[in-house]
């Protein structure tokens, strides 16, 4: 396997085909699913459906990271995600990632059966790397400046691609220095996180610039506001735009795509994969 992502109990091949991470929000205010997945049974059904539709990973989040959203307490987050993770890890057999910035939540989620921490703050919580290391878990290091509550107020960069790249390089070294094996890590430029539409489009255009970090590259354009801005559409009308962005970035080297619409995305990326491997 030329590029692989080592997780507890399994290794994901990141070059055989594009991996699809399905988004399972368990927040009442989730911006793009209207909180549909907050009920436990509905959440499990959603996860099973995503597995049937071809998801490779399920990403469970109990705190919205949409721009302007209010933080929730760690206890509340744990209460939302743990019952869902316990059920879906067994019922789907897929690797489950916990979308959290809090070490306490990550620890509870890993105990419940998650094997990846998807941290949009890339290990800012001082205990996060230790929790990941002790569990031998996989980790996504994502670029963001500031907090979701305020991050879109006035993001400024001299060179967004270089700054995101250098931030990720620094966080990789910090994670490795904290004892996490490099093979456990994936990186993500954080589309829409502390970025204007122009910043996100530039980062997408330069997807290949992140490949020299030597790790699986995850991207998450799904239903985001920059797609709405390009198309002039509301959140429920961004599927085609999301697929356009996904296909472009996969063609430019992205290995894992984080999306709400798994079935449609799997079909789209299979075609890109076939073209790339022809
Ligand atoms: C939680 N979350 C929302 N958007 C995301 C993105 O683009 N990447 C990752 N890793 N997580 C995200």
């Amino acid at each position: 396997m030329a590029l692989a992502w080592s997780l507890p109990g399994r290794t994901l091949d990141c070059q055989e085909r594009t991996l699809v991470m399905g988004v399972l929000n368990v927040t009442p205010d989730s911006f793009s699913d209207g909180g549909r997945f907050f009920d436990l049974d509905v959440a499990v059904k959603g996860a099973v459906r995503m597995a049937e539709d071809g998801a490779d990973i399920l990403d469970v989040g109990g705190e919205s990271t949409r721009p302007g959203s209010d933080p929730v307490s760690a206890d509340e987050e744990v209460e939302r995600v743990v019952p869902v993770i316990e059920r879906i890890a067994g019922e789907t057999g897929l690797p489950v990632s916990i979308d959290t910035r809090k070490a306490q939540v990550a620890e509870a989620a890993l105990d419940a059966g998650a094997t990846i921490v998807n941290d949009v703050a890339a290990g800012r919580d001082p205990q996060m790397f230790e929790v990941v290391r002790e569990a031998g878990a996989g980790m996504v290091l994502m670029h963001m400046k500031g907090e979701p509550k305020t991050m879109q107020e006035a993001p400024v960069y001299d060179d967004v691609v270089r700054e995101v790249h250098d931030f990720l390089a620094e966080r990789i070294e910090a994670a490795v220095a904290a004892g996490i094996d490099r093979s456990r890590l994936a990186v993500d430029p954080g589309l829409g996180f502390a970025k204007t539409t122009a910043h996100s489009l530039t980062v997408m255009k330069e997807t290949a610039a992140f490949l020299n970090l030597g790790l699986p590259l995850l991207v998450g354009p799904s239903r985001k506001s920059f797609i709405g801005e390009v198309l002039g559409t509301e959140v429920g009308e961004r599927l085609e735009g999301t697929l356009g962005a996904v296909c472009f970035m996969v063609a430019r080297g992205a290995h894992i795509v984080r999306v709400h619409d798994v079935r449609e995305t799997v079909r789209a990326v299979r075609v890109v994969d076939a073209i790339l491997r022809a």
Side-chain angles (χ1 to χ4, degrees), residues 59 65 99 118 120 140 142 188 190-191 193 218 220 224 258:
D59 189 39
T65 51
D99 154 21
N118 174 25
V120 301
V140 180
M142 198 200 80
D188 183 334
L191 299 171
F193 280 82
L218 190 154
K224 286 194 176 155
R258 181 184 182 276

Side-chain angles (χ1 to χ4, degrees), residues 221 223 226-227 231 233 237-247:
R223 302 180 184 174
F226 54 83
I227 289 175
L231 294 178
T233 56
E237 293 290 324
R238 295 179 186 166
L239 172 60
E240 300 89 341
T242 298
L243 294 175
V246 161
C247 290

Side-chain angles (χ1 to χ4, degrees), residues 198-223:
H199 292 140
S200 286
L201 295 173
T202 302
V203 166
M204 287 193 283
K205 185 175 176 188
E206 301 301 332
T207 300
F210 305 101
L211 297 176
N212 72 359
L213 294 167
L215 295 178
L217 177 63
L218 190 154
V219 290
S222 190
R223 302 180 184 174

Side-chain angles (χ1 to χ4, degrees), residues 79-155:
E79 228 172 85
R80 291 177 184 178
V81 298
V82 163
V84 176
I85 293 169
E86 282 172 347
R87 290 262 312 266
I88 68 173
E91 288 188 32
T92 68
L94 290 178
V96 174
S97 69
I98 172 66
D99 154 21
T100 189
R101 298 179 282 156
K102 301 185 188 82
Q104 182 190 328
V105 178
E107 191 168 28
L110 294 169
D111 284 346
T115 55
I116 300 168
V117 176
N118 174 25
D119 184 1
V120 301
R124 203 182 294 169
D125 182 321
Q127 263 75 55
M128 185 62 100
F129 287 149
E130 187 186 329
V131 165
V132 172
R133 183 193 66 222
E134 286 305 303
M139 182 171 193
V140 180
L141 299 169
M142 198 200 80
H143 174 269
M144 170 177 69
K145 289 207 282 195
E147 300 289 326
K149 180 87 183 152
T150 52
M151 66 187 178
Q152 290 304 94
E153 279 171 12

